[in-house]
Amino acid sequence: MSAAIAILLSALAMSVIVGVRYLAASGGFALATRLRHPRLYAGLDPQIRREIAWSLASSLIYGVPAGIVAWGWQNHGWTRIYDDVHAYPLWYLPVSVLLYLVAHDTWFYWTHRWMHRPRVFKLAHAVHHASRPPTAWAAMAFHPIEAVTGAVAIPLLVFVIPIHVAALGLVLATMTVMGVTNHMGWEMFPRFMWNGPVGRWLITASHHQRHHERYGCNYGLYFRFWDRLCGTDDGLGDFARIHAKAGAAKGGRHGAAGTAADRRCAGRIVAGGDRPAPLGQRDAAAVPDRRS
Protein backbone atom coordinates (compact mmCIF):
# COMPACT_ATOMS: atom_id res chain seq x y z
CA MET A 1 0.00 0.00 0.00
CA SER A 2 1.38 3.40 -0.95
CA ALA A 3 1.96 6.07 1.67
CA ALA A 4 -0.66 8.34 0.07
CA ILE A 5 -3.37 5.69 0.29
CA ALA A 6 -2.36 4.81 3.85
CA ILE A 7 -2.58 8.45 4.90
CA LEU A 8 -5.96 8.83 3.18
CA LEU A 9 -7.33 5.77 4.95
CA SER A 10 -5.93 7.02 8.27
CA ALA A 11 -7.61 10.40 7.74
CA LEU A 12 -10.93 8.77 6.87
CA ALA A 13 -10.72 6.52 9.91
CA MET A 14 -10.01 9.48 12.19
CA SER A 15 -12.88 11.44 10.63
CA VAL A 16 -15.22 8.58 11.43
CA ILE A 17 -13.89 8.41 14.99
CA VAL A 18 -14.36 12.17 15.48
CA GLY A 19 -17.86 12.00 14.02
CA VAL A 20 -18.90 9.07 16.20
CA ARG A 21 -17.39 10.77 19.25
CA TYR A 22 -19.39 13.91 18.48
CA LEU A 23 -22.65 12.00 17.99
CA ALA A 24 -22.12 10.01 21.18
CA ALA A 25 -21.18 13.00 23.34
CA SER A 26 -23.71 15.47 21.97
CA GLY A 27 -26.42 12.80 21.82
CA GLY A 28 -25.74 11.77 25.40
CA PHE A 29 -25.87 15.29 26.76
CA ALA A 30 -28.91 16.11 24.61
CA LEU A 31 -30.64 13.12 26.18
CA ALA A 32 -29.60 14.34 29.64
CA THR A 33 -31.05 17.74 28.73
CA ARG A 34 -34.32 16.17 27.66
CA LEU A 35 -34.56 14.31 30.97
CA ARG A 36 -33.61 17.32 33.10
CA HIS A 37 -35.29 20.10 31.09
CA PRO A 38 -37.82 18.41 28.79
CA ARG A 39 -38.95 21.55 26.92
CA LEU A 40 -35.60 23.32 26.63
CA TYR A 41 -35.09 22.46 22.96
CA ALA A 42 -38.77 22.76 21.99
CA GLY A 43 -39.18 24.21 18.51
CA LEU A 44 -35.48 23.93 17.68
CA ASP A 45 -35.58 20.84 15.45
CA PRO A 46 -34.57 22.69 12.24
CA GLN A 47 -31.71 24.38 14.11
CA ILE A 48 -30.55 21.06 15.58
CA ARG A 49 -30.53 19.42 12.15
CA ARG A 50 -28.38 22.27 10.87
CA GLU A 51 -26.03 21.96 13.87
CA ILE A 52 -25.60 18.24 13.24
CA ALA A 53 -24.91 18.78 9.53
CA TRP A 54 -22.23 21.42 10.17
CA SER A 55 -20.72 19.33 12.96
CA LEU A 56 -20.41 16.21 10.82
CA ALA A 57 -18.78 18.30 8.09
CA SER A 58 -16.36 19.62 10.72
CA SER A 59 -15.62 16.03 11.76
CA LEU A 60 -14.30 15.34 8.26
CA ILE A 61 -11.97 18.34 8.55
CA TYR A 62 -10.80 17.41 12.05
CA GLY A 63 -9.97 13.91 10.83
CA VAL A 64 -7.43 15.04 8.21
CA PRO A 65 -4.62 16.41 10.44
CA ALA A 66 -5.42 13.78 13.09
CA GLY A 67 -5.09 11.03 10.50
CA ILE A 68 -1.80 12.37 9.17
CA VAL A 69 -0.39 12.62 12.69
CA ALA A 70 -1.60 9.13 13.62
CA TRP A 71 0.02 7.64 10.51
CA GLY A 72 3.27 9.51 11.09
CA TRP A 73 3.39 8.48 14.74
CA GLN A 74 2.81 4.80 14.05
CA ASN A 75 5.06 4.51 11.01
CA HIS A 76 7.81 7.08 11.45
CA GLY A 77 7.71 8.28 15.05
CA TRP A 78 7.13 11.85 13.93
CA THR A 79 5.51 13.04 17.13
CA ARG A 80 6.39 13.20 20.81
CA ILE A 81 3.55 10.86 21.76
CA TYR A 82 4.87 7.93 23.81
CA ASP A 83 3.27 4.68 24.94
CA ASP A 84 5.78 3.55 27.57
CA VAL A 85 4.46 4.97 30.83
CA HIS A 86 7.97 4.88 32.29
CA ALA A 87 9.49 6.97 29.51
CA TYR A 88 8.91 10.04 31.69
CA PRO A 89 8.37 10.38 35.46
CA LEU A 90 4.84 9.54 36.59
CA TRP A 91 4.34 13.07 37.91
CA TYR A 92 4.67 14.28 34.32
CA LEU A 93 1.41 12.58 33.28
CA PRO A 94 -0.91 15.16 34.92
CA VAL A 95 1.53 17.95 34.10
CA SER A 96 1.40 17.08 30.40
CA VAL A 97 -2.40 17.13 30.46
CA LEU A 98 -2.36 20.58 32.07
CA LEU A 99 0.23 21.84 29.57
CA TYR A 100 -1.94 20.73 26.68
CA LEU A 101 -5.08 22.28 28.14
CA VAL A 102 -3.33 25.60 28.80
CA ALA A 103 -1.74 25.67 25.34
CA HIS A 104 -5.00 24.70 23.64
CA ASP A 105 -6.91 27.28 25.65
CA THR A 106 -4.43 29.96 24.57
CA TRP A 107 -4.78 28.99 20.92
CA PHE A 108 -8.57 28.90 21.22
CA TYR A 109 -8.83 32.27 22.96
CA TRP A 110 -6.85 34.18 20.34
CA THR A 111 -8.28 32.44 17.27
CA HIS A 112 -11.79 32.78 18.70
CA ARG A 113 -11.25 36.46 19.37
CA TRP A 114 -9.88 36.90 15.84
CA MET A 115 -13.01 35.28 14.44
CA HIS A 116 -15.10 37.98 16.08
CA ARG A 117 -13.60 40.63 13.85
CA PRO A 118 -16.41 41.78 11.55
CA ARG A 119 -15.16 40.39 8.24
CA VAL A 120 -14.07 37.04 9.64
CA PHE A 121 -17.24 36.79 11.70
CA LYS A 122 -19.51 37.29 8.70
CA LEU A 123 -17.44 34.91 6.59
CA ALA A 124 -17.09 32.06 9.07
CA HIS A 125 -17.95 32.39 12.75
CA ALA A 126 -21.54 33.51 12.10
CA VAL A 127 -22.31 29.86 11.32
CA HIS A 128 -21.68 28.93 14.95
CA HIS A 129 -23.56 31.92 16.35
CA ALA A 130 -26.58 31.18 14.17
CA SER A 131 -27.59 28.76 16.94
CA ARG A 132 -29.84 30.90 19.12
CA PRO A 133 -29.88 29.54 21.72
CA PRO A 134 -27.12 26.93 21.22
CA THR A 135 -27.84 23.31 22.06
CA ALA A 136 -25.73 20.29 22.95
CA TRP A 137 -25.55 19.57 19.21
CA ALA A 138 -23.81 22.90 18.46
CA ALA A 139 -20.40 21.92 19.86
CA MET A 140 -18.82 21.45 16.42
CA ALA A 141 -21.20 23.47 14.27
CA PHE A 142 -18.44 25.39 12.49
CA HIS A 143 -17.78 26.90 9.10
CA PRO A 144 -14.84 25.06 7.44
CA ILE A 145 -12.50 27.98 8.15
CA GLU A 146 -13.26 27.77 11.86
CA ALA A 147 -13.06 23.97 11.76
CA VAL A 148 -9.53 24.19 10.33
CA THR A 149 -8.38 26.51 13.14
CA GLY A 150 -9.71 24.03 15.68
CA ALA A 151 -8.49 20.92 13.90
CA VAL A 152 -4.79 21.82 13.84
CA ALA A 153 -4.30 22.77 17.50
CA ILE A 154 -3.76 19.38 19.15
CA PRO A 155 -1.96 17.84 16.12
CA LEU A 156 0.55 20.70 16.29
CA LEU A 157 1.08 20.29 20.02
CA VAL A 158 2.04 16.60 19.74
CA PHE A 159 5.14 17.67 17.80
CA VAL A 160 6.23 19.96 20.63
CA ILE A 161 5.11 18.65 24.03
CA PRO A 162 5.68 14.98 25.03
CA ILE A 163 2.51 13.21 26.12
CA HIS A 164 1.52 9.64 26.89
CA VAL A 165 -1.12 8.24 24.57
CA ALA A 166 -3.55 7.75 27.48
CA ALA A 167 -3.01 11.33 28.67
CA LEU A 168 -3.69 12.52 25.13
CA GLY A 169 -6.94 10.56 25.22
CA LEU A 170 -7.86 12.41 28.42
CA VAL A 171 -7.14 15.76 26.76
CA LEU A 172 -9.37 14.86 23.82
CA ALA A 173 -12.13 13.65 26.14
CA THR A 174 -11.94 16.90 28.14
CA MET A 175 -12.08 18.93 24.93
CA THR A 176 -15.17 17.02 23.78
CA VAL A 177 -17.04 17.23 27.09
CA MET A 178 -16.30 20.93 27.58
CA GLY A 179 -17.26 21.74 24.00
CA VAL A 180 -20.64 20.04 24.41
CA THR A 181 -21.54 21.03 27.97
CA ASN A 182 -20.62 24.69 27.40
CA HIS A 183 -23.40 24.91 24.80
CA MET A 184 -26.22 22.74 26.13
CA GLY A 185 -28.17 25.49 27.90
CA TRP A 186 -27.92 24.49 31.56
CA GLU A 187 -25.28 23.98 34.21
CA MET A 188 -24.49 20.35 34.99
CA PHE A 189 -21.41 20.91 37.13
CA PRO A 190 -21.48 21.51 40.91
CA ARG A 191 -21.94 25.12 41.94
CA PHE A 192 -18.37 25.46 43.26
CA MET A 193 -17.07 24.75 39.74
CA TRP A 194 -18.87 27.70 38.18
CA ASN A 195 -19.84 30.18 40.92
CA GLY A 196 -17.21 29.79 43.62
CA PRO A 197 -13.45 30.41 43.98
CA VAL A 198 -12.70 27.55 41.55
CA GLY A 199 -15.27 28.87 39.11
CA ARG A 200 -13.48 32.19 38.89
CA TRP A 201 -10.85 30.41 36.82
CA LEU A 202 -12.82 27.68 35.02
CA ILE A 203 -15.17 28.00 32.07
CA THR A 204 -18.44 26.12 32.17
CA ALA A 205 -21.84 26.65 30.55
CA SER A 206 -22.67 29.63 32.78
CA HIS A 207 -19.60 31.52 31.56
CA HIS A 208 -19.92 30.59 27.90
CA GLN A 209 -23.62 31.45 27.97
CA ARG A 210 -22.65 35.10 28.38
CA HIS A 211 -20.53 34.88 25.21
CA HIS A 212 -23.55 33.74 23.21
CA GLU A 213 -25.59 36.55 24.75
CA ARG A 214 -23.17 39.42 24.16
CA TYR A 215 -20.58 38.13 21.66
CA GLY A 216 -17.76 40.53 22.59
CA CYS A 217 -16.60 38.73 25.72
CA ASN A 218 -15.77 35.37 27.33
CA TYR A 219 -13.70 33.87 24.52
CA GLY A 220 -11.93 31.07 26.42
CA LEU A 221 -12.48 27.32 26.28
CA TYR A 222 -11.24 25.83 29.57
CA PHE A 223 -9.89 28.67 31.72
CA ARG A 224 -10.78 32.29 32.34
CA PHE A 225 -7.15 33.45 32.56
CA TRP A 226 -6.88 35.11 29.15
CA ASP A 227 -10.30 36.71 29.44
CA ARG A 228 -9.38 38.20 32.80
CA LEU A 229 -5.90 39.25 31.68
CA CYS A 230 -7.22 40.97 28.55
CA GLY A 231 -10.32 42.48 30.14
CA THR A 232 -12.78 40.41 28.10
CA ASP A 233 -14.26 38.48 31.04
CA ASP A 234 -17.86 39.63 31.46
CA GLY A 235 -18.79 37.26 34.27
CA LEU A 236 -21.52 34.64 34.24
CA GLY A 237 -24.84 34.45 32.48
CA ASP A 238 -27.65 32.25 33.64
CA PHE A 239 -30.43 30.37 31.97
CA ALA A 240 -33.55 31.65 33.72
CA ARG A 241 -35.04 33.36 30.67
CA ILE A 242 -34.63 30.54 28.17
CA HIS A 243 -35.78 28.02 30.76
CA ALA A 244 -38.86 30.10 31.47
CA LYS A 245 -39.66 30.27 27.77
CA ALA A 246 -39.10 26.53 27.42
CA GLY A 247 -41.47 25.90 30.30
CA ALA A 248 -44.14 28.00 28.60
CA ALA A 249 -43.76 26.20 25.26
CA LYS A 250 -46.81 24.21 24.21
CA GLY A 251 -47.23 21.78 21.38
CA GLY A 252 -45.72 23.09 18.17
CA ARG A 253 -45.04 26.56 19.50
CA HIS A 254 -41.43 27.70 19.12
CA GLY A 255 -41.22 28.69 22.75
CA ALA A 256 -37.55 27.97 23.21
CA ALA A 257 -36.62 29.86 20.07
CA GLY A 258 -38.76 32.89 20.92
CA THR A 259 -38.64 36.20 19.15
CA ALA A 260 -35.47 37.82 17.85
CA ALA A 261 -35.53 40.27 20.74
CA ASP A 262 -35.90 37.49 23.26
CA ARG A 263 -33.03 35.57 21.72
CA ARG A 264 -30.79 38.62 21.98
CA CYS A 265 -31.61 38.79 25.66
CA ALA A 266 -31.45 35.06 26.42
CA GLY A 267 -29.87 34.59 29.82
CA ARG A 268 -30.02 37.22 32.55
CA ILE A 269 -27.02 38.70 34.29
CA VAL A 270 -26.48 37.03 37.61
CA ALA A 271 -27.63 39.35 40.37
CA GLY A 272 -24.58 41.14 41.72
CA GLY A 273 -22.60 39.83 38.73
CA ASP A 274 -19.57 37.64 38.65
CA ARG A 275 -17.52 40.16 36.80
CA PRO A 276 -13.99 40.11 38.21
CA ALA A 277 -11.74 43.07 37.77
CA PRO A 278 -9.48 42.41 34.78
CA LEU A 279 -5.87 41.51 35.44
CA GLY A 280 -4.83 43.85 32.64
CA GLN A 281 -6.11 46.82 30.70
CA ARG A 282 -9.16 46.04 28.54
CA ASP A 283 -8.16 45.57 24.93
CA ALA A 284 -11.40 46.11 23.08
CA ALA A 285 -11.80 43.80 20.12
CA ALA A 286 -13.76 44.70 17.04
CA VAL A 287 -16.97 42.78 17.59
CA PRO A 288 -19.80 42.75 15.06
CA ASP A 289 -23.28 43.68 16.06
CA ARG A 290 -25.21 40.41 16.30
CA ARG A 291 -27.84 41.82 13.96
CA SER A 292 -25.31 41.91 11.13
Side-chain angles (χ1 to χ4, degrees):
M1 182 185 300
S2 69
I5 294 177
I7 292 174
L8 176 61
L9 291 176
S10 179
L12 288 174
M14 293 304 297
S15 294
V16 170
I17 290 172
V18 174
V20 170
R21 185 182 68 190
Y22 157 75
L23 291 172
S26 291
F29 285 110
L31 176 60
T33 300
R34 183 170 182 176
L35 296 174
R36 181 71 180 269
H37 302 285
R39 301 297 302 170
L40 189 58
Y41 296 164
L44 296 181
D45 289 350
Q47 174 184 307
I48 289 173
R49 286 193 292 270
R50 181 187 59 81
E51 290 170 347
I52 293 173
W54 280 111
S55 295
L56 291 178
S58 295
S59 297
L60 293 174
I61 295 173
Y62 270 72
V64 173
I68 295 172
V69 166
W71 179 84
W73 170 56
Q74 292 180 338
N75 292 277
H76 297 285
W78 285 350
T79 73
R80 305 199 70 183
I81 301 171
Y82 62 95
D83 54 11
D84 179 3
V85 73
H86 299 295
Y88 288 83
L90 292 179
W91 58 260
Y92 181 71
L93 288 173
V95 170
S96 65
V97 172
L98 182 61
L99 288 174
Y100 269 69
L101 294 180
V102 169
H104 188 204
D105 188 69
T106 300
W107 174 271
F108 184 90
Y109 176 88
W110 289 106
T111 56
H112 189 189
R113 187 164 174 173
W114 169 71
M115 282 186 287
H116 274 262
R117 294 187 177 276
R119 289 185 179 179
V120 185
F121 184 93
K122 291 179 181 180
L123 176 63
H125 195 47
V127 166
H128 184 66
H129 276 280
S131 296
R132 301 179 181 178
T135 76
W137 297 102
M140 293 181 65
F142 303 139
H143 184 278
I145 291 175
E146 182 169 2
V148 169
T149 68
V152 299
I154 301 299
L156 289 176
L157 286 176
V158 300
F159 288 96
V160 179
I161 303 175
I163 189 166
H164 187 270
V165 63
L168 179 59
L170 179 59
V171 170
L172 295 174
T174 302
M175 177 182 71
T176 301
V177 170
M178 296 299 287
V180 175
T181 59
N182 284 353
H183 292 91
M184 66 181 181
W186 57 284
E187 189 61 76
M188 64 166 287
F189 293 107
R191 190 175 184 85
F192 77 89
M193 286 187 63
W194 57 272
N195 199 31
V198 174
R200 290 176 64 82
W201 296 99
L202 294 180
I203 290 172
T204 64
S206 298
H207 187 266
H208 196 64
Q209 172 72 8
R210 179 59 56 83
H211 174 74
H212 280 271
E213 295 164 13
R214 298 190 172 184
Y215 284 40
C217 61
N218 296 13
Y219 296 111
L221 177 60
Y222 306 118
F223 309 111
R224 294 171 66 172
F225 171 78
W226 282 110
D227 276 310
R228 295 186 66 191
L229 181 65
C230 297
T232 55
D233 194 310
D234 202 15
L236 305 182
D238 71 22
F239 308 104
R241 189 178 188 89
I242 59 173
H243 287 194
K245 292 184 68 61
K250 300 293 183 183
R253 291 176 57 202
H254 296 267
T259 64
D262 286 333
R263 288 196 296 270
R264 286 195 296 271
C265 296
R268 296 182 292 105
I269 301 173
V270 175
D274 174 38
R275 188 173 182 174
L279 300 180
Q281 182 66 32
R282 177 178 291 273
D283 177 18
V287 180
D289 187 285
R290 71 186 311 163
R291 293 168 296 182
S292 62

